[in-house]
């Protein structure tokens, strides 16, 4: 009996230490696409989400560490076709979910409700797609015809330096940066949060910073139009908003009026929007930036 008890204890310990992945169909349209498989037993998306939430809570109660991955039916169909698998089996869905754990859009489950987890997962997927597309644009930029430099790598180095200069010049406080680059396929948007105290270097998430720099670099490499805005928050003071226009691979400061107009105009209708209370609209400050050859 003692031996059996020890084995059970070891298995429980192993279960806690072995991370697992749960594939989540976040979108109702995608869920409907999966209902064509007879082996997929769910028929109501909201009910399905509640069942997944119950499973996640159960795994967490057992001490298991679980990652939630975005399950995309089209990618699943392609996966099954490439592997010669029957898509209408639970085993195929399990194998696909295991693949997602390695390279898909994933979020660690930490007890958050399903209504928070779903948008978090979708946002992660959008950011991943944005980063991958921007990376592709950099890779396709090629070499400079005049100097032979790798245009994408040079643009990434320039974007990295611009970000460091922006954060350093902005001073202390919580910084919220948004970079927007239009492309033929879609509007690339990257967001970055940073925090700086006194003269200390800014604290930020390295992966978020890499995504932000990649999107900005894509705009620099392709000489795209685009823009960057910076919002600084400090205790006891109004938020400060600054803005820049990306032009010919450089960030040119916007005037105070241009910053105000950018924030106080509806992007879709062009109608004026009321200024945000407790916010100061300021011009972009000058940034030291090397000349670009491309």
């Amino acid at each position: 009996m003692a031996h059996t008890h020890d084995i059970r204890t070891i298995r429980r310990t192993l279960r806690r230490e072995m991370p697992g992945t749960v594939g989540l169909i976040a979108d109702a349209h995608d869920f409907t696409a999966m209902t064509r498989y007879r082996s997929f037993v769910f028929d109501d998306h909201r009910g399905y989400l509640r069942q997944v939430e119950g499973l996640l809570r159960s795994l967490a109660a057992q001490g298991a560490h679980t990652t939630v991955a975005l399950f995309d039916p089209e990618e699943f169909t392609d996966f099954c076709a490439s592997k010669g698998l029957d898509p209408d089996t639970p085993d195929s869905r399990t194998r696909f979910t295991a693949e997602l754990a390695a390279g898909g859009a994933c979020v660690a489950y930490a007890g958050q409700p399903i209504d928070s987890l779903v948008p978090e997962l979708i946002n992660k997927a959008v950011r991943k797609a944005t980063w991958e597309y921007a990376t592709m644009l950099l890779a396709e930029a090629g070499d400079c015809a005049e100097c032979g430099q790798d245009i994408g790598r040079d643009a990434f180095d320039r974007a990295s330096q611009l970000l460091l200069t922006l954060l350093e010049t902005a001073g202390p406080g919580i910084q919220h940066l948004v970079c927007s680059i239009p492309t033929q396929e879609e509007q690339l948007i990257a967001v970055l949060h940073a925090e700086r105290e006194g003269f200390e270097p800014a604290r930020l998430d390295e992966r978020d910073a890499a995504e932000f720099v990649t999107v900005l670099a894509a705009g620099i490499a392709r000489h795209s139009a685009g823009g960057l805005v910076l919002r600084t928050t400090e205790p006891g003071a109004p938020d400060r908003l600054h803005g820049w226009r990306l032009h010919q691979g450089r960030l040119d400061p916007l005037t105070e009026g241009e910053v105000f107009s950018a924030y106080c105009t509806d992007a879709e209708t062009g109608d004026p929007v009321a200024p945000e209370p407790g916010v100061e609209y300021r011009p972009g400050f000058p940034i030291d930036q090397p000349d670009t050859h491309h």
Side-chain angles (χ1 to χ4, degrees), residues 50 89 198 219 254:
R50 296 304 169 197
T89 67
L254 296 177

Side-chain angles (χ1 to χ4, degrees), residues 218-240:
I220 292 173
R222 299 175 69 86
H223 281 197
S224 301
L228 189 151
V229 292
L230 167 68
R231 182 177 188 134
T232 302
T233 302
E234 284 189 278
D239 282 10
R240 303 188 301 275

Side-chain angles (χ1 to χ4, degrees), residues 16-206:
R16 285 196 299 269
E17 294 184 4
M18 295 295 287
T21 304
V22 172
L24 176 66
I25 306 168
D27 180 78
H29 181 266
D30 287 345
F31 178 85
T32 301
M34 289 300 295
T35 59
R36 69 178 184 270
Y37 299 121
R38 294 182 63 183
S39 63
F40 188 77
V41 298
F42 301 96
D43 57 11
D44 173 65
H45 189 226
R46 291 304 303 175
Y48 159 81
L49 291 176
R50 296 304 169 197
Q51 290 290 333
V52 172
E53 184 173 38
L55 171 63
L56 292 171
R57 286 178 176 172
S58 174
L59 291 170
Q62 298 172 30
H65 299 285
T66 306
T67 296
V68 183
L70 186 67
F71 192 106
D72 183 287
E74 288 188 13
E75 291 181 6
F76 171 62
T77 301
D78 293 342
F79 171 79
C80 290
S82 67
K83 302 288 185 181
L85 301 174
D86 177 4
D88 199 357
T89 67
D91 180 63
S92 295
R93 291 193 291 273
T94 300
R95 288 184 60 177
F96 177 64
T97 300
E99 292 272 335
L100 289 176
C106 299
V107 170
Y109 179 68
Q112 61 269 55
I114 198 74
D115 289 341
S116 298
L117 184 62
V118 167
E120 185 181 357
L121 193 57
I122 292 173
N123 179 60
K124 193 73 172 284
V126 169
R127 284 178 49 186
K128 183 175 182 293
T130 298
W131 189 18
E132 289 175 349
Y133 184 60
T135 301
M136 182 194 71
L137 292 178
L138 288 180
E140 291 180 345
D143 297 333
C144 175
E146 296 179 9
C147 65
Q149 277 189 307
D150 183 316
I151 295 174
R153 181 172 297 176
D154 182 61
F156 190 90
D157 291 342
R158 284 173 47 76
S160 300
Q161 187 57 51
L162 285 171
L163 174 60
L164 290 174
T165 303
L166 276 169
L167 293 174
E168 184 176 334
T169 310
I174 297 173
Q175 318 289 357
H176 179 80
L177 299 97
V178 179
C179 179
S180 177
I181 305 292
T183 70
Q184 289 182 338
E185 298 293 328
E186 58 184 296
Q187 185 88 0
L188 296 181
I189 297 176
V191 178
L192 179 64
H193 296 275
E195 189 170 350
R196 185 176 175 205
E197 295 181 7
F199 296 99
E200 295 292 322
R203 298 193 302 272
L204 44 77
D205 182 276
E206 290 185 5

Side-chain angles (χ1 to χ4, degrees), residues 228-230 239-245 253-267 270-284:
L228 189 151
V229 292
L230 167 68
D239 282 10
R240 303 188 301 275
L241 296 176
H242 302 271
W244 294 262
R245 177 187 298 106
L254 296 177
T255 66
E256 181 178 330
E258 287 173 327
V259 173
F260 180 88
S261 176
Y263 273 95
C264 299
T265 303
D266 187 292
D271 295 335
V273 177
E276 192 175 343
V279 171
E280 293 181 353
Y281 300 89
R282 296 187 178 185

